[in-house]
């Protein structure tokens, strides 16, 4: 749970001069972006501009990529996540991630959700674990569809259900931050609407960063929007002003589908 | 206008056709006002019925624009300046249709006055006010087509001249009424004609405001001079 009485301008995530290199190739050129608590921030921009690279910095997923080098400062709750004392497993529990393609484990629905709490030891006994699984599935809006078949394989679900299962799995460890990389790109409009509704509810508890290629989705869901282009952050601000009156011509051209 | 094209060429085509319809409606609104005031000045009764009938064309064109706007929004979900383009087109078309209504109303009243043919003289200022308003409408449509904010703001600040002209005309007409009570019916029509011209001027400045919004994404700061309206 989050502490109460936080100051309004207290950023959940602060990034200073982030650069990322894949071998010789620089993918991010000094990004400075601060993310507020309990808001949805969307990252938009053309393919290859570095959106996924950026959000992977926040839970140090780039560590897993060979030849990938991250520089700069990333603070979560004012704590440097690249600090030697940082426990990466704990960090990934605190910063959950949902990917473009739903990737449930080839295990039962129950075990998919129970996986995190078991690993991180966030529950004391079987009863607490069952409660946690139920609560997470409910919060992800999947409970009603699966409560009578928790033993079925996660892979037996439809794409939209699998994505909600992955969201349930991510929130089962009570993260503070949820990173979502194009979570709806493989879903139909109904499943997308369900997930969007869910994200809207989740932002009451979590700080959410979402990468999306749907301008309408970014406009509907997020309070803040960052526009990336070729590894630089071109514009960042309130979503309402970015989509009605962007300050930068490149942003305008991109969101309106113009030839830049 | 912005030179950047959309990757979807259909987008630009639809937007262009919407703008062409606005241009057409603007042209019709100008013609209606011009012919009305010309016929009144010449005391020529023959054109009024034609003008009154032609108003249906403006209504139909406005309907067509409304339909196109709805289609455009549904198909393209425009954002940022594209969205403002469509919203402003929608708003301006309804303003132009209203301007058409005022011209029609002036035509009706002019027809009555001229057919009565017993009024002494047409106050020169009514024609002057008409010319002023025509110029305003013409310029504001130019400003819209060219997305010229400076011109739009100039027009916006000129509304006070119209208000002053209307005010002095109102006083003149009531004075004539006082001295010629037998002409009170025609003079009342003239008061309404002046009021309608003043309203058209007001609508032209509303278009100017829309142009500002279209280009800047915000409404102009409202510190425009206003005439002191003491109608007593
Ligand atoms: N594992 C990798 N190895 C080498 N280069 C990579 C790797 N991942 C990304 N890149 C490069 O880094 C740049 C940014 O890629 P990234 O995946 O962050 O873009 P993106 O904005 O998420 O694009 P998309 O919208 O297509 O998902 C690209 O030029 C890409 O080729
Ligand atoms: Mg990506």
């Amino acid at each position: 749970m989050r502490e109460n009485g936080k100051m309004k301008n207290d950023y959940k995530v602060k990034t200073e001069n982030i650069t990322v290199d894949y071998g010789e190739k620089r993918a991010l050129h000094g990004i400075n972006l601060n993310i507020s608590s309990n808001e949805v921030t969307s990252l938009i921009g053309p393919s290859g501009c570095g959106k996924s690279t950026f959000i992977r910095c926040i839970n140090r997923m780039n560590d897993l990529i060979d030849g990938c080098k991250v520089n700069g400062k990333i603070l979560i709750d004012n704590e440097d996540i690249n600090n030697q004392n940082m426990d990466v497993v704990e960090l990934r529990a605190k910063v959950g991630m949902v990917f473009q393609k739903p990737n449930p484990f080839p295990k039962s629905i129950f075990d998919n959700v129970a996986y995190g709490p078991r690993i991180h030891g966030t529950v004391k006994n079987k009863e607490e674990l069952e409660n946690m699984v139920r609560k997470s599935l409910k919060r992800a809006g999947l409970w009603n569809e699966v409560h009578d078949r928790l033993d079925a394989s996660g892979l037996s679900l439809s794409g939209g259900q699998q994505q909600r299962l992955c969201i349930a799995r991510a929130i089962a460890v009570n993260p503070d931050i949820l990173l979502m990389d194009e979570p709806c790109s493989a879903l139909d409009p109904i499943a997308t609407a369900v997930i969007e509704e869910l994200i809207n509810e989740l932002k009451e508890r979590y700080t959410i960063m979402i990468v999306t290629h749907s301008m309408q989705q970014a406009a509907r869901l997020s309070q803040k929007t960052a526009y990336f282009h070729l590894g630089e952050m071109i514009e960042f601000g309130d979503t309402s002003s970015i989509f009605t009156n962007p300050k930068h011509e490149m942003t305008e051209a991109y969101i309106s589908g113009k030839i830049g | 206008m912005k030179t950047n094209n959309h990757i979807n060429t259909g987008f630009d085509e639809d937007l262009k056709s919407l703008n062409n319809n606005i241009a057409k409606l603007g042209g019709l609104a100008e013609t209606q006002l011009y012919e009305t005031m010309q016929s009144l000045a010449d005391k020529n009764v023959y054109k009024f019925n034609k003008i009154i009938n032609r108003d249906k064309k403006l209504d139909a064109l406005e309907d067509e624009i409304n339909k196109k706007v709805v289609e455009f929004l549904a198909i393209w979900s425009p954002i940022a300046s594209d969205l403002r383009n469509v919203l402003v087109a929608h708003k301006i078309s309804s303003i132009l249709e209203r301007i058409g209504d005022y011209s029609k109303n002036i035509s009706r009243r002019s027809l009555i006055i001229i057919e009565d043919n017993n009024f002494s003289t047409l106050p020169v200022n009514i024609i002057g006010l008409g010319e002023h308003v025509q110029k305003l409408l013409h310029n504001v449509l130019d400003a819209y087509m060219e997305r010229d904010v400076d011109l739009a703001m100039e027009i916006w600040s000129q509304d006070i001249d119209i208000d002053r002209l209307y005010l002095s005309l109102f006083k003149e007409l009531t004075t004539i009424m006082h001295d010629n009570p037998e002409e009170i019916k025609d003079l009342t029509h003239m008061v309404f004609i002046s009021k309608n011209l003043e309203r058209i001027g007001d609508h032209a400045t509303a278009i100017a405001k829309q142009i500002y919004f279209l280009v800047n994404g915000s409404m102009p700061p409202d510190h425009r001079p206003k005439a002191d309206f003491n109608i007593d």
Side-chain angles (χ1 to χ4, degrees), chain B residues 17-41:
Chain B
S17 119
L18 187 61
N19 278 319
N20 285 345
N21 271 336
I22 300 285
K24 212 160 122 192
L25 184 56
L28 277 170
E30 265 193 272
T31 306
Q32 290 292 79
L33 179 59
Y34 171 79
E35 290 193 357
T36 298
M37 294 314 291
Q38 203 60 41
S39 306
L40 177 59

mmCIF file of all heavy atoms in Angstrom, chain B residues 17-41:
data_model
loop_
_atom_site.group_PDB
_atom_site.id
_atom_site.type_symbol
_atom_site.label_atom_id
_atom_site.label_comp_id
_atom_site.label_asym_id
_atom_site.label_seq_id
_atom_site.Cartn_x
_atom_site.Cartn_y
_atom_site.Cartn_z
ATOM 1 N N SER B 17 -12.806 19.224 -49.032
ATOM 2 C CA SER B 17 -14.166 19.346 -49.521
ATOM 3 C C SER B 17 -15.044 20.046 -48.476
ATOM 4 O O SER B 17 -15.938 20.824 -48.814
ATOM 5 C CB SER B 17 -14.700 17.968 -49.931
ATOM 6 O OG SER B 17 -15.814 17.601 -49.189
ATOM 7 N N LEU B 18 -14.739 19.800 -47.202
ATOM 8 C CA LEU B 18 -15.454 20.510 -46.130
ATOM 9 C C LEU B 18 -15.182 22.011 -46.226
ATOM 10 O O LEU B 18 -16.095 22.839 -46.186
ATOM 11 C CB LEU B 18 -14.991 19.958 -44.778
ATOM 12 C CG LEU B 18 -15.725 20.435 -43.527
ATOM 13 C CD1 LEU B 18 -17.188 20.069 -43.579
ATOM 14 C CD2 LEU B 18 -15.074 19.835 -42.283
ATOM 15 N N ASN B 19 -13.905 22.351 -46.397
ATOM 16 C CA ASN B 19 -13.538 23.766 -46.500
ATOM 17 C C ASN B 19 -14.116 24.430 -47.749
ATOM 18 O O ASN B 19 -14.496 25.596 -47.717
ATOM 19 C CB ASN B 19 -12.017 23.925 -46.461
ATOM 20 C CG ASN B 19 -11.491 23.890 -45.030
ATOM 21 O OD1 ASN B 19 -12.093 24.473 -44.129
ATOM 22 N ND2 ASN B 19 -10.405 23.184 -44.810
ATOM 23 N N ASN B 20 -14.207 23.666 -48.836
ATOM 24 C CA ASN B 20 -14.813 24.218 -50.050
ATOM 25 C C ASN B 20 -16.285 24.552 -49.821
ATOM 26 O O ASN B 20 -16.787 25.563 -50.315
ATOM 27 C CB ASN B 20 -14.706 23.216 -51.204
ATOM 28 C CG ASN B 20 -13.291 23.161 -51.750
ATOM 29 O OD1 ASN B 20 -12.478 24.052 -51.469
ATOM 30 N ND2 ASN B 20 -12.986 22.124 -52.519
ATOM 31 N N ASN B 21 -16.966 23.684 -49.083
ATOM 32 C CA ASN B 21 -18.367 23.948 -48.791
ATOM 33 C C ASN B 21 -18.547 25.194 -47.937
ATOM 34 O O ASN B 21 -19.500 25.948 -48.109
ATOM 35 C CB ASN B 21 -18.994 22.746 -48.078
ATOM 36 C CG ASN B 21 -19.564 21.744 -49.073
ATOM 37 O OD1 ASN B 21 -19.894 22.111 -50.196
ATOM 38 N ND2 ASN B 21 -19.674 20.504 -48.659
ATOM 39 N N ILE B 22 -17.613 25.398 -47.003
ATOM 40 C CA ILE B 22 -17.679 26.613 -46.176
ATOM 41 C C ILE B 22 -17.474 27.839 -47.065
ATOM 42 O O ILE B 22 -18.177 28.841 -46.941
ATOM 43 C CB ILE B 22 -16.590 26.594 -45.070
ATOM 44 C CG1 ILE B 22 -16.764 25.392 -44.148
ATOM 45 C CG2 ILE B 22 -16.602 27.897 -44.289
ATOM 46 C CD1 ILE B 22 -17.885 25.488 -43.179
ATOM 47 N N ALA B 23 -16.515 27.728 -47.976
ATOM 48 C CA ALA B 23 -16.261 28.851 -48.884
ATOM 49 C C ALA B 23 -17.515 29.170 -49.696
ATOM 50 O O ALA B 23 -17.882 30.340 -49.886
ATOM 51 C CB ALA B 23 -15.098 28.512 -49.811
ATOM 52 N N LYS B 24 -18.191 28.117 -50.141
ATOM 53 C CA LYS B 24 -19.410 28.284 -50.932
ATOM 54 C C LYS B 24 -20.505 28.963 -50.094
ATOM 55 O O LYS B 24 -21.162 29.901 -50.549
ATOM 56 C CB LYS B 24 -19.880 26.893 -51.382
ATOM 57 C CG LYS B 24 -20.587 26.859 -52.718
ATOM 58 C CD LYS B 24 -20.559 25.431 -53.263
ATOM 59 C CE LYS B 24 -21.970 24.911 -53.509
ATOM 60 N NZ LYS B 24 -22.008 23.464 -53.772
ATOM 61 N N LEU B 25 -20.664 28.476 -48.866
ATOM 62 C CA LEU B 25 -21.674 29.042 -47.970
ATOM 63 C C LEU B 25 -21.350 30.502 -47.657
ATOM 64 O O LEU B 25 -22.236 31.362 -47.640
ATOM 65 C CB LEU B 25 -21.748 28.203 -46.686
ATOM 66 C CG LEU B 25 -22.814 28.569 -45.661
ATOM 67 C CD1 LEU B 25 -24.212 28.560 -46.274
ATOM 68 C CD2 LEU B 25 -22.769 27.616 -44.466
ATOM 69 N N GLY B 26 -20.056 30.777 -47.438
ATOM 70 C CA GLY B 26 -19.630 32.151 -47.178
ATOM 71 C C GLY B 26 -19.950 33.056 -48.356
ATOM 72 O O GLY B 26 -20.461 34.168 -48.180
ATOM 73 N N GLY B 27 -19.697 32.551 -49.567
ATOM 74 C CA GLY B 27 -19.988 33.319 -50.776
ATOM 75 C C GLY B 27 -21.477 33.626 -50.880
ATOM 76 O O GLY B 27 -21.883 34.759 -51.187
ATOM 77 N N LEU B 28 -22.301 32.624 -50.598
ATOM 78 C CA LEU B 28 -23.751 32.820 -50.651
ATOM 79 C C LEU B 28 -24.214 33.843 -49.609
ATOM 80 O O LEU B 28 -25.049 34.708 -49.914
ATOM 81 C CB LEU B 28 -24.467 31.484 -50.387
ATOM 82 C CG LEU B 28 -24.636 30.546 -51.585
ATOM 83 C CD1 LEU B 28 -25.122 29.170 -51.131
ATOM 84 C CD2 LEU B 28 -25.618 31.153 -52.594
ATOM 85 N N ALA B 29 -23.665 33.745 -48.401
ATOM 86 C CA ALA B 29 -24.061 34.682 -47.338
ATOM 87 C C ALA B 29 -23.702 36.107 -47.742
ATOM 88 O O ALA B 29 -24.482 37.045 -47.521
ATOM 89 C CB ALA B 29 -23.381 34.302 -46.025
ATOM 90 N N GLU B 30 -22.517 36.248 -48.373
ATOM 91 C CA GLU B 30 -22.109 37.583 -48.835
ATOM 92 C C GLU B 30 -23.051 38.107 -49.905
ATOM 93 O O GLU B 30 -23.469 39.262 -49.885
ATOM 94 C CB GLU B 30 -20.694 37.502 -49.430
ATOM 95 C CG GLU B 30 -19.595 37.846 -48.472
ATOM 96 C CD GLU B 30 -18.285 38.058 -49.207
ATOM 97 O OE1 GLU B 30 -17.557 37.063 -49.418
ATOM 98 O OE2 GLU B 30 -17.995 39.204 -49.601
ATOM 99 N N THR B 31 -23.385 37.254 -50.867
ATOM 100 C CA THR B 31 -24.284 37.651 -51.957
ATOM 101 C C THR B 31 -25.638 38.096 -51.405
ATOM 102 O O THR B 31 -26.194 39.117 -51.832
ATOM 103 C CB THR B 31 -24.516 36.460 -52.915
ATOM 104 O OG1 THR B 31 -23.251 35.986 -53.330
ATOM 105 C CG2 THR B 31 -25.330 36.868 -54.117
ATOM 106 N N GLN B 32 -26.164 37.313 -50.475
ATOM 107 C CA GLN B 32 -27.466 37.627 -49.899
ATOM 108 C C GLN B 32 -27.468 39.029 -49.274
ATOM 109 O O GLN B 32 -28.373 39.822 -49.508
ATOM 110 C CB GLN B 32 -27.841 36.599 -48.816
ATOM 111 C CG GLN B 32 -28.155 35.206 -49.344
ATOM 112 C CD GLN B 32 -29.435 35.150 -50.148
ATOM 113 O OE1 GLN B 32 -29.435 35.541 -51.332
ATOM 114 N NE2 GLN B 32 -30.518 34.704 -49.539
ATOM 115 N N LEU B 33 -26.423 39.308 -48.511
ATOM 116 C CA LEU B 33 -26.343 40.604 -47.838
ATOM 117 C C LEU B 33 -26.151 41.725 -48.866
ATOM 118 O O LEU B 33 -26.822 42.756 -48.816
ATOM 119 C CB LEU B 33 -25.193 40.595 -46.828
ATOM 120 C CG LEU B 33 -24.969 41.886 -46.052
ATOM 121 C CD1 LEU B 33 -26.208 42.290 -45.258
ATOM 122 C CD2 LEU B 33 -23.762 41.753 -45.108
ATOM 123 N N TYR B 34 -25.257 41.466 -49.822
ATOM 124 C CA TYR B 34 -24.956 42.485 -50.834
ATOM 125 C C TYR B 34 -26.210 42.836 -51.635
ATOM 126 O O TYR B 34 -26.578 44.002 -51.777
ATOM 127 C CB TYR B 34 -23.850 41.988 -51.764
ATOM 128 C CG TYR B 34 -23.627 42.882 -52.953
ATOM 129 C CD1 TYR B 34 -22.900 44.067 -52.828
ATOM 130 C CD2 TYR B 34 -24.171 42.558 -54.207
ATOM 131 C CE1 TYR B 34 -22.718 44.906 -53.907
ATOM 132 C CE2 TYR B 34 -23.994 43.391 -55.301
ATOM 133 C CZ TYR B 34 -23.268 44.571 -55.148
ATOM 134 O OH TYR B 34 -23.097 45.402 -56.216
ATOM 135 N N GLU B 35 -26.895 41.823 -52.143
ATOM 136 C CA GLU B 35 -28.072 42.087 -52.987
ATOM 137 C C GLU B 35 -29.202 42.728 -52.188
ATOM 138 O O GLU B 35 -29.930 43.589 -52.702
ATOM 139 C CB GLU B 35 -28.543 40.785 -53.656
ATOM 140 C CG GLU B 35 -27.551 40.308 -54.713
ATOM 141 C CD GLU B 35 -28.104 39.212 -55.622
ATOM 142 O OE1 GLU B 35 -29.246 38.771 -55.390
ATOM 143 O OE2 GLU B 35 -27.374 38.805 -56.554
ATOM 144 N N THR B 36 -29.336 42.317 -50.937
ATOM 145 C CA THR B 36 -30.353 42.924 -50.079
ATOM 146 C C THR B 36 -30.108 44.424 -49.931
ATOM 147 O O THR B 36 -31.010 45.249 -50.162
ATOM 148 C CB THR B 36 -30.339 42.265 -48.684
ATOM 149 O OG1 THR B 36 -30.656 40.885 -48.819
ATOM 150 C CG2 THR B 36 -31.355 42.911 -47.759
ATOM 151 N N MET B 37 -28.891 44.768 -49.564
ATOM 152 C CA MET B 37 -28.596 46.176 -49.301
ATOM 153 C C MET B 37 -28.627 47.006 -50.588
ATOM 154 O O MET B 37 -29.057 48.160 -50.587
ATOM 155 C CB MET B 37 -27.233 46.322 -48.598
ATOM 156 C CG MET B 37 -27.188 45.734 -47.195
ATOM 157 S SD MET B 37 -28.607 46.171 -46.159
ATOM 158 C CE MET B 37 -28.321 47.935 -45.909
ATOM 159 N N GLN B 38 -28.182 46.386 -51.696
ATOM 160 C CA GLN B 38 -28.200 47.067 -52.988
ATOM 161 C C GLN B 38 -29.646 47.393 -53.392
ATOM 162 O O GLN B 38 -29.960 48.501 -53.799
ATOM 163 C CB GLN B 38 -27.555 46.138 -54.040
ATOM 164 C CG GLN B 38 -27.010 46.843 -55.252
ATOM 165 C CD GLN B 38 -25.929 47.849 -54.852
ATOM 166 O OE1 GLN B 38 -25.097 47.562 -54.001
ATOM 167 N NE2 GLN B 38 -25.988 49.035 -55.453
ATOM 168 N N SER B 39 -30.530 46.393 -53.245
ATOM 169 C CA SER B 39 -31.923 46.576 -53.646
ATOM 170 C C SER B 39 -32.609 47.613 -52.766
ATOM 171 O O SER B 39 -33.447 48.385 -53.238
ATOM 172 C CB SER B 39 -32.692 45.260 -53.555
ATOM 173 O OG SER B 39 -32.022 44.273 -54.290
ATOM 174 N N LEU B 40 -32.235 47.602 -51.457
ATOM 175 C CA LEU B 40 -32.832 48.595 -50.566
ATOM 176 C C LEU B 40 -32.386 50.000 -50.964
ATOM 177 O O LEU B 40 -33.199 50.920 -51.054
ATOM 178 C CB LEU B 40 -32.432 48.277 -49.118
ATOM 179 C CG LEU B 40 -32.900 49.253 -48.037
ATOM 180 C CD1 LEU B 40 -34.426 49.370 -48.004
ATOM 181 C CD2 LEU B 40 -32.388 48.849 -46.665
ATOM 182 N N ALA B 41 -31.085 50.148 -51.256
ATOM 183 C CA ALA B 41 -30.557 51.459 -51.639
ATOM 184 C C ALA B 41 -31.219 51.951 -52.931
ATOM 185 O O ALA B 41 -31.571 53.125 -53.052
ATOM 186 C CB ALA B 41 -29.043 51.384 -51.812
#
